[in-house]
């Protein structure tokens, strides 16, 4: 299975994939920054559909997402950051202003069968031509929540986040009024939800006129900021994940609530209190980070940039206890530095798959992808990601049945 995503007509210049959506059928939708898939002559601008089975045949589905303002390397090239699928519609969010030659800005609904643009234009605007537009999306009941860097949606002021009613394609009244009091453009890059709250992270310092620094819980009905997480002063958030009635937060902080937590914390969503779970990441003098987590029954697997977990050597990859955060004996001895890391981790059928920027795991050569068993042994599986002369990274990995998508 090889979609062979390319940036240009040259077979030696790889494209970039930001989003992969695997359907229950035989289709995989991919979005990113590329112009071709499968072959140097199969044109697919920034979004494509390929078969899930066999050699990943490129389907005729071709929305052709582009931008006519992209004429210089000083401007941000068009790209698709996020894909969501609901029924017969494919929603694509990113930075663009053309779909199939039709004018539309940063968010589009595309027919799942034909690839034709649907008659729906939320017109997500740009602060500037270099703004990333729509960065993330979350389907929640009959609404599509979008986050990114934008000042308005369909002419209505909605900074950084907005909600769209999919029942009638109107802009919802939900408006948390995210802002930055220093005059910078507010930005939202992660959205999660639980109960009546929508959790948003990004770059901002007020929500609804109340102080909220880069992380906020917003009521999904009223758009009012919750008192939950009200007084946190955090930097960039690298992970925002809900699992088993708990919110796991990774980012640039050393305290959350009234608890010392270095770069990673767990909040009980029933009590809205920081739990006792505390992996105590260390090793990079305050520059530790966590990018991904996986939750099998016996332990939580973490990946990112760190060298110690509760003062035990665990480089960029570890498994920890669900209750305490104490590292287990699982240790594949990942080799790395702060420049190298693991950006995604998936557990499937007793195998831990990792994706990132690295050249070996333990003493075993592995480039950007590896599979490890529950004893820490490296599996023979080795896709051999490579392209000499380029900085190699794999950002995302999905395991569906017996097939792995990257």
């Amino acid at each position: 299975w090889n979609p062979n995503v390319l940036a240009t007509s040259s077979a030696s210049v790889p494209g970039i994939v930001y989003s992969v959506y695997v359907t229950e059928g035989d289709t995989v939708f991919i979005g990113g920054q590329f112009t071709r898939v499968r072959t140097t002559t199969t044109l697919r601008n920034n979004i494509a559909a390929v078969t899930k089975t066999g050699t990943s045949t490129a389907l005729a589905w071709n929305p052709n997402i582009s931008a006519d303002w992209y004429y210089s390397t000083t401007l941000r090239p068009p790209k698709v950051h996020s894909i969501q699928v609901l029924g017969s519609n494919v929603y694509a969010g990113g930075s663009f202003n053309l779909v199939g030659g039709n004018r539309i800005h940063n968010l589009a609904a595309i027919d799942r069968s034909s690839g034709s643009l649907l008659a729906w234009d939320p017109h997500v605007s740009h602060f500037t031509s270099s703004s990333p537009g729509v960065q993330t999306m979350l389907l929640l009941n009959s609404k599509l929540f979008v986050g990114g860097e934008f000042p308005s949606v369909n002419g209505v002021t909605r900074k950084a986040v907005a909600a769209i009613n999919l029942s009638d394609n109107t802009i919802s009244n939900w408006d948390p009024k995210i802002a930055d009091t220093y005059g910078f453009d507010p930005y939202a890059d992660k959205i999660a939800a639980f109960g009546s709250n929508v959790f948003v992270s990004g770059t901002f310092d007020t929500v609804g006129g109340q102080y909220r620094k880069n992380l906020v819980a917003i009521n999904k009905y009223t758009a009012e900021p919750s008192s939950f997480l009200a007084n946190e002063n955090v930097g960039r958030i690298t992970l925002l994940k809900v699992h088993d009635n708990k919110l796991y937060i990774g980012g640039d902080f050393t305290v959350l609530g009234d608890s010392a937590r270095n770069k990673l914390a767990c909040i009980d969503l029933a009590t809205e209190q920081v739990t006792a779970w505390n992996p105590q990441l260390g090793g990079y003098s305050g520059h530790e980070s966590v990018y991904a987590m996986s939750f099998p029954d016996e332990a939580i697997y973490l990946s990112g940039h760190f060298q110690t977990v509760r003062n035990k050597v665990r480089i960029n990859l570890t498994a920890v206890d669900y209750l305490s955060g104490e590292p287990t004996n699982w240790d594949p001895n990942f080799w790395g530095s702060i420049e190298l890391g693991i950006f995604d981790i998936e557990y499937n059928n007793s195998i831990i798959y990792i994706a990132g920027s690295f050249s070996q795991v333990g003493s075993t050569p592995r480039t950007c992808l590896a599979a490890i068993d529950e004893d820490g042994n490296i599996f023979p599986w080795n896709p051999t990601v490579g392209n000499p002369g380029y900085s190699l990274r794999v950002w995302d990995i999905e395991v569906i049945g017996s097939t792995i998508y990257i």
Side-chain angles (χ1 to χ4, degrees):
W1 189 86
N2 178 22
N4 195 31
V5 177
L6 300 172
T8 70
S9 59
S10 172
S12 64
V13 183
I16 301 173
V17 174
Y18 293 113
S19 182
V20 176
Y21 192 100
V22 182
T23 69
E24 294 181 356
D26 191 38
T27 303
V28 178
F29 294 100
I30 56 177
Q33 186 181 330
F34 52 84
T35 64
R36 288 157 175 81
V37 295
R38 288 296 297 155
T39 71
T40 58
T41 58
T42 307
L43 296 177
R44 295 292 186 273
N45 282 319
N46 304 307
I47 193 168
V50 298
T51 56
K52 185 190 297 185
T53 56
T55 58
S56 67
T57 302
L59 300 178
W61 191 84
N62 183 17
N64 188 21
I65 291 180
S66 61
D68 58 10
W69 41 255
Y70 181 58
Y71 58 87
S72 167
T73 55
T74 62
L75 298 178
R76 188 181 297 271
K79 61 189 71 174
V80 173
H81 285 124
S82 183
I83 295 175
Q84 293 286 299
V85 178
L86 180 64
S88 60
N89 293 349
V90 177
Y91 296 95
S95 180
F96 53 83
N97 69 359
L98 292 171
V99 178
N102 300 290
R103 183 73 61 189
I104 193 164
H105 295 80
N106 301 322
L107 180 61
I110 302 162
D111 186 272
R112 181 173 175 172
S113 298
S114 67
S116 299
L117 179 68
L118 299 177
W120 174 70
D121 182 9
H123 195 103
V124 179
S125 60
H126 275 115
F127 280 109
T128 68
S129 59
S130 62
S131 298
V134 173
Q135 185 75 19
T136 185
M137 298 189 292
L138 175 69
L139 282 167
L140 192 60
N141 300 326
S142 60
K143 286 186 171 63
L144 178 67
F145 289 84
V146 297
E149 188 176 315
F150 49 81
S152 66
V153 178
N154 203 24
V156 180
T157 298
R158 291 289 187 274
K159 293 185 177 181
V161 292
I164 299 168
N165 298 312
L166 295 180
S167 57
D168 57 8
N169 292 332
T170 59
I171 307 304
S172 169
N173 290 329
W174 188 84
D175 179 16
K177 295 181 172 61
I178 289 181
D180 187 300
T181 56
Y182 290 95
F184 297 105
D185 299 329
Y187 174 63
D189 61 359
K190 293 176 181 62
I191 301 176
F194 179 86
S196 61
N197 282 329
V198 175
F199 305 104
V200 177
S201 69
T203 304
F204 49 83
D205 61 11
T206 63
V207 178
Q210 301 180 45
Y211 178 80
R212 297 292 189 277
K213 181 68 173 177
N214 298 335
L215 177 65
V216 64
I218 306 169
N219 187 285
K220 70 179 181 181
Y221 303 108
T222 67
E224 292 294 324
S226 167
S227 58
F228 176 41
L229 301 173
N231 299 312
E232 307 304 333
N233 187 15
V234 301
R236 176 174 175 256
I237 297 298
T238 57
L239 180 140
L240 200 61
K241 199 157 190 174
V242 174
H243 176 78
D244 194 23
N245 300 329
K246 295 179 178 65
L247 176 65
Y248 293 86
I249 304 172
D252 187 10
F253 54 82
T254 55
V255 175
L256 204 67
D258 57 0
S259 302
R261 294 290 184 271
N262 189 49
K263 315 305 180 188
L264 183 63
C266 173
I267 296 176
D268 187 318
L269 290 172
T271 64
E272 298 188 350
Q273 299 296 313
V274 177
T275 71
W277 185 82
N278 185 11
Q280 298 177 14
L281 305 180
Y284 285 129
S285 303
H287 296 285
E288 301 82 14
S289 58
V290 171
Y291 292 118
M293 304 177 74
S294 188
F295 301 91
D297 292 337
E298 73 283 357
I300 300 175
Y301 290 88
L302 312 175
S303 64
H305 287 129
F306 48 85
Q307 288 184 321
T308 62
V309 179
R310 286 193 169 228
N311 296 316
K312 296 180 180 178
V313 175
R314 297 289 188 274
I315 299 178
N316 294 348
L317 182 62
T318 189
V320 301
D321 180 77
Y322 264 94
L323 296 179
S324 67
E326 183 72 25
T328 70
N329 291 329
W330 187 80
D331 181 14
N333 189 26
F334 177 83
W335 178 88
S337 68
I338 197 166
E339 289 80 20
L340 305 177
I342 301 170
F343 304 125
D344 199 13
I345 184 168
E346 289 288 332
Y347 180 95
N348 183 271
N349 197 24
S350 300
I351 301 175
I352 300 91
Y353 296 92
I354 60 174
S357 177
F358 52 86
S359 58
Q360 67 186 69
V361 179
S363 59
T364 305
R366 289 291 184 272
T367 303
C368 299
L369 291 167
I372 308 163
D373 69 15
E374 291 179 321
D375 294 321
N377 300 312
I378 314 303
F379 261 66
W381 181 80
N382 183 13
T384 315
V385 175
N387 198 355
Y390 289 88
S391 177
L392 300 176
R393 295 184 181 187
V394 176
W395 295 104
D396 193 15
I397 185 169
E398 297 289 338
V399 183
I400 308 293
S402 60
T403 304
I404 300 163
Y405 304 91
I406 61 173

